[in-house]
Amino acid sequence: MRANYNGLWKLLIDKNMKKSDLMREAKLAPATIAKMGKRKFVSMEVLYKITKVLDTTIGEIVSF
């Protein structure tokens, strides 16, 4: 099973943000963004940080 972060990438486009902007605002490591780009799982803490920065829910950014 793989994670699908297409919702996140679309939301970044809608909010006119780059992955580097998300990394900076959510205080994420480049390796975390790379894992997400490869459709690998990340921690719940990472998903929580992203939802707070983007003011969204986990269900809107990731699916399985």
Side-chain angles (χ1 to χ4, degrees):
M1 182 181 341
R2 298 176 80 170
N4 183 339
Y5 299 101
N6 287 341
L8 172 60
W9 310 137
K10 289 176 185 175
L11 191 58
L12 288 178
I13 291 168
D14 292 344
K15 292 188 179 261
N16 201 25
M17 290 179 71
K18 296 180 180 177
K19 291 178 184 178
S20 59
D21 299 328
L22 178 64
M23 266 189 339
R24 184 179 59 255
E25 290 187 36
K27 298 179 181 160
L28 303 174
T32 301
I33 298 295
K35 281 177 78 173
M36 294 171 80
K38 295 176 183 175
R39 298 183 62 190
K40 294 188 177 185
F41 290 105
V42 295
S43 73
M44 187 65 85
E45 182 180 2
V46 167
L47 297 176
Y48 175 77
K49 288 180 182 180
I50 292 170
T51 60
K52 289 301 167 195
V53 168
L54 298 177
D55 190 33
T56 188
T57 64
I58 290 176
E60 292 180 11
I61 62 173
V62 65
S63 62
F64 305 100

